[in-house]
Amino acid sequence: MTRRNRVTYLAASWCLSYPDQELMGRIPLIRRAVAEFPGLDRPFRDVLQALTTMPLEESQARYVQEFDLSRRHALHLSYWTDGDTRRRGEVLAGFKRVYRDSGMLVDLHGELPDYLPMVLEFAATVDLDVGRKVLSDYRPSLEMLRLALVDDNLPHAAVLQAVCDSLPGKSPADRQQIMKMAGYGPPAETVGLDPYDPRLLPLAGGEQ
């Protein structure tokens, strides 16, 4: 199970990242790795198929539209729990502490430290136990993102489902159940977002 989880997280990290020539070169490796485990290829099949059949420029334009320009599919975990609240700075510092405490030099590549592909890569290649704890603590964020991808019929939803399936417990069926999972209650301070915005989910497990 340990190796399966590592493969799941690294494949998901790459499939959720911006498509470039480096990612295209990794596609055969991803396919071989997920094929090692029964059924693990299915969640990645549609994303990989799209990458190999669509011109790279079109894949890049779609990625930017869906993940960089649309908050509906935000890949930053604390966006879903803290939005633009003042507390988010403390939360992001917590992610940086996780990386620092691992003893490994983590290149953020200009991203915020809660960027999901980065968290997944950390779990896969640096510290599986700590990485899984972060993913579990932010399970409501993962589930909200998953449902948003389902709503918009994007193949990345299956990738999120694979990540969620690797964590304890079943995925909630709808947003109301996710709110219950998160122990929903509005944050005390917000900047630019309604304090009752349903995108803001408190962490069930406390701050990082």
Side-chain angles (χ1 to χ4, degrees):
M1 183 60 72
T2 295
R3 176 164 171 75
R4 182 187 178 105
N5 284 337
R6 289 187 185 278
V7 169
T8 298
Y9 297 153
L10 191 55
S13 172
W14 289 346
C15 286
L16 292 169
S17 297
Y18 179 76
D20 54 17
Q21 290 291 351
E22 184 177 12
L23 175 58
M24 298 301 292
R26 287 170 169 170
I27 290 177
L29 174 61
I30 297 172
R31 284 179 164 153
R32 289 197 301 271
V34 298
E36 294 181 20
F37 305 94
L40 188 57
D41 63 314
R42 286 195 296 270
F44 301 94
R45 189 177 299 159
D46 289 346
V47 170
L48 296 177
Q49 180 69 12
L51 287 171
T52 54
T53 58
M54 189 180 300
L56 180 57
E57 294 79 6
E58 184 176 347
S59 293
Q60 292 172 334
R62 288 194 178 189
Y63 183 93
V64 169
Q65 183 64 39
E66 298 295 349
F67 294 103
D68 292 341
L69 300 181
S70 173
R71 290 190 174 190
R72 283 179 53 80
H73 311 135
L75 291 175
H76 295 91
L77 293 175
S78 69
Y79 169 79
W80 299 94
T81 57
D82 296 278
D84 293 322
T85 64
R86 293 177 178 85
R87 177 176 173 270
R88 191 177 182 194
E90 299 176 9
V91 172
L92 293 175
F95 278 89
K96 289 182 179 179
R97 282 196 299 273
V98 167
Y99 300 145
R100 185 173 61 248
D101 291 347
S102 73
M104 299 292 291
L105 181 64
V106 177
D107 187 352
L108 299 181
H109 299 291
E111 285 287 351
L112 295 174
D114 63 338
Y115 183 55
L116 178 56
M118 189 177 305
V119 175
L120 290 167
E121 184 173 357
F122 175 85
T125 63
V126 178
D127 194 320
L128 181 61
D129 291 338
V130 172
R132 279 173 57 80
K133 182 181 185 305
V134 174
L135 293 170
S136 295
D137 287 346
Y138 282 86
R139 179 72 176 272
S141 298
L142 296 173
E143 299 288 0
M144 288 291 283
L145 173 58
R146 177 183 63 81
L147 286 186
L149 293 168
V150 169
D151 288 346
D152 293 338
N153 197 31
L154 294 176
H156 304 79
V159 175
L160 262 292
Q161 186 66 69
V163 173
C164 292
D165 287 345
S166 75
L167 303 173
K170 293 184 178 181
S171 285
D174 54 37
R175 286 171 178 78
Q176 185 174 4
Q177 290 187 18
I178 297 175
M179 298 295 182
K180 185 176 181 180
M181 169 190 280
Y184 181 68
E189 291 184 284
T190 61
V191 178
L193 285 179
D194 188 300
Y196 291 89
D197 191 307
R199 291 172 297 175
L200 301 183
L201 301 172
L203 294 180
E207 294 187 18
Q208 295 298 304

